[in-house]
Amino acid sequence: MFLRQAGQAVATVIVAGPAAASAPSPLDDAMQYDDQKKVGFAIVGLGKFATQQMMPAFKDCKHARIAALVSGSPDKAKKLARQYGVEAKNIYNYENFDTIKDNPEVDVVYIVLPVGLHAEYTIRATKAGKHVLTEKPMATSPEDCQKMIDACQKAGKKLMVAYRAQYEPFNLDAIARIRKGELGKLLQITADHGRSVDPTGDKADSWRVQKKLAGGGSLMDIGIYSLNATRYLTGEEPVEVTAIESTDKNDPRFQEVEDRIHFTLRFPSGVLATCTSSYSIQEVKRYRVFGDKAWLDLDPATDYKEHNLKIGDKNGERKPNVDEGNQFAAELDHMAECVLNNTTPKTPGEEGLRDIRLIHAIYDTRTGKRVKV
Ligand code: NAD
């Protein structure tokens, strides 16, 4: 690995706090963004999200670079390798993936596969001696999440879940304002995430309606943004959950997974969060946080770009300026810096496990039964 010595020379760089991902680091000067000194990532799964969002973001990374590609399509892998300057010897497929252990250019395995494969590839990556960044949701079950955590712990490797909203400037700004008390006493949150899933028109949606590969429906895929936001906005863990589901079983898309599911969370401070998740409405990715002094609205809140923040109170509304930045690069750099500085990611496996436990609690109570969590 190219970086470890440079990393060991730096004593205290990363604090696992919201601003850490984009804060200037002493490494910035020391390394001058020399590409060969960056942490090498192997991208596993060259699908829609990897190719359209994450791979292009590496150009804005200070500490992360694409070192290898893992794909079942040799032609696609070769083409992308040429585009991103990845050597042909660093292209792997799912069968020979384990030989990645012999490649010192790869430090981190970034798993961008269907959810049902995250656990398998995390465990295989740790056996190959690599750190793991896995896409959200972490896995289909709490048991698989725990296996992933245990495998990384046993191998002495980092595990981070790619909760990009927790590295995104508007969300970080919202968290900071709430912590400073700008809204007064926090009382309630509403959060909505929905889109129309299209398994016949969009290949990336075909596995999303298969229970084994997706783990569930809209809640696993996008409702998780509502859920995760309530936790990072409050800084608390919910103690009570209620839920209700509505799924049209005559719709061919929803033979195995849920469509709409609404859930309510009660937090220890008394905050109530009302969240919706849908696979049949048009794009919505928003939340609103209410305190006794003011409210904060982010709409969209968890999109890829063009976030829109408003704050209001009895005197009217205002729109604070926030620099959009590159949330994907910030997230990748955070993982790279954790490797360099031997620090724990801000969104470790335990963070992913908490959401999956809550999602299963929501599923357990979707008939309307109240469940203590
Ligand atoms: P996708 O279907 O476009 O990509 C998945 C890739 O995995 C494809 O290249 C596919 O060929 C490959 N694959 C390997 N084995 C497979 C199998 N057995 N079945 C199906 N595909 C297989 O999907 P995507 O939208 O890119 O999602 C990939 C991952 O990224 C998922 O975990 C998803 O939840 C996550 N994601 C995250 C965000 C985000 O904003 N953080 C956004 C979209 C997707």
Side-chain angles (χ1 to χ4, degrees):
M1 122 105 159
F2 291 87
L3 284 175
R4 207 147 277 154
Q5 282 183 338
Q8 281 170 349
V10 177
T12 51
V13 176
I14 299 304
V15 179
S22 53
S25 144
L27 288 169
D28 296 353
D29 293 336
M31 297 171 60
Q32 296 174 337
Y33 315 151
D34 177 343
D35 220 42
Q36 287 312 308
K37 287 184 182 164
K38 290 178 177 176
V39 173
F41 283 60
I43 317 291
V44 187
L46 306 178
K48 190 174 175 181
F49 187 63
T51 58
Q52 294 183 11
Q53 307 302 333
M54 296 309 295
M55 291 173 69
F58 276 89
K59 71 174 185 324
D60 291 333
C61 286
K62 294 171 181 168
H63 308 301
R65 72 179 185 102
I66 302 176
L69 302 177
V70 184
S71 171
S73 318
D75 290 345
K76 180 163 64 173
K78 265 187 227 152
K79 193 168 162 229
L80 286 163
R82 273 196 300 275
Q83 190 181 334
Y84 286 95
V86 174
E87 289 181 67
K89 71 174 173 57
N90 291 349
I91 299 176
Y92 296 84
N93 57 45
Y94 298 115
E95 286 70 45
N96 69 15
F97 166 73
D98 308 275
T99 63
I100 212 161
K101 74 175 190 311
D102 301 320
N103 191 337
E105 289 181 55
V106 175
D107 305 303
V108 174
V109 164
Y110 174 31
I111 301 166
V112 209
L113 294 167
V115 187
L117 300 171
H118 292 182
E120 177 192 334
Y121 280 85
T122 297
I123 291 162
R124 285 170 71 178
T126 59
K127 285 190 179 150
K130 308 299 180 188
H131 303 283
V132 174
L133 171 63
T134 184
E135 262 310 324
K136 51 52 64 183
M138 183 172 170
T140 57
S141 67
E143 293 72 26
D144 273 0
C145 294
Q146 193 59 58
K147 281 184 199 156
M148 293 160 78
I149 292 168
D150 293 346
C152 289
Q153 234 160 30
K154 193 172 155 206
K157 296 292 156 189
K158 312 276 173 209
L159 173 58
M160 170 168 151
V161 182
Y163 280 115
R164 62 180 169 76
Q166 293 202 43
Y167 302 89
E168 191 283 317
F170 282 83
N171 282 275
L172 297 179
D173 185 75
I175 295 167
R177 286 172 194 279
I178 292 166
R179 297 289 182 276
K180 271 192 298 187
E182 211 173 305
L183 308 187
K185 180 175 164 43
L186 216 59
L187 294 170
Q188 55 194 66
I189 299 173
T190 57
D192 303 297
H193 281 82
R195 68 183 186 87
S196 186
V197 76
D198 181 15
T200 49
D202 185 347
K203 201 167 158 244
D205 276 352
S206 59
W207 61 265
R208 282 180 163 87
V209 295
Q210 298 172 45
K211 177 99 192 282
K212 192 160 181 274
L213 284 173
S218 73
L219 180 56
M220 286 292 278
D221 189 36
I222 44 171
I224 190 171
Y225 288 99
S226 293
L227 174 64
N228 196 248
T230 65
R231 295 181 43 245
Y232 61 71
L233 292 169
T234 57
E236 297 179 40
E237 295 303 328
V239 288
E240 202 175 353
V241 172
T242 65
I244 189 159
E245 181 199 333
S246 182
T247 300
D248 178 1
K249 282 292 174 194
N250 293 318
D251 187 325
R253 297 177 298 172
F254 304 125
Q255 298 311 299
E256 296 186 24
V257 301
E258 84 280 357
D259 172 12
R260 280 158 295 140
I261 186 156
H262 293 194
F263 54 98
T264 312
L265 308 164
R266 179 200 293 277
F267 289 85
S269 63
V271 171
L272 289 180
T274 304
C275 305
T276 68
S277 171
S278 171
Y279 251 171
S280 56
I281 60 171
Q282 294 304 315
E283 294 284 315
V284 60
K285 302 174 175 179
R286 69 179 183 196
Y287 57 67
R288 189 175 269 226
V289 190
F290 302 84
D292 61 357
K293 283 200 199 127
W295 52 259
L296 179 150
D297 187 281
L298 198 51
D299 182 6
T302 58
D303 216 335
Y304 297 157
K305 56 184 180 0
E306 290 169 13
H307 296 82
N308 185 19
L309 175 66
K310 281 192 291 190
I311 295 174
D313 58 22
K314 61 179 189 283
N315 299 315
E317 288 181 21
R318 61 197 169 86
K319 277 182 72 130
N321 268 336
V322 180
D323 184 1
E324 187 81 45
N326 184 334
Q327 59 181 308
F328 309 108
E331 176 185 79
L332 293 165
D333 268 341
H334 181 72
M335 178 74 201
E337 289 182 289
C338 287
V339 171
L340 290 169
N341 297 302
N342 193 21
T343 47
T344 304
K346 190 174 80 161
T347 51
E350 289 76 5
E351 170 76 357
L353 169 62
R354 281 187 203 111
D355 274 350
I356 299 303
R357 272 201 190 122
L358 285 163
I359 283 174
H360 280 254
I362 291 166
Y363 283 149
D364 285 348
T365 184
R366 61 185 141 177
T367 52
K369 187 172 56 117
R370 283 155 74 100
V371 174
K372 300 273 182 203
V373 288

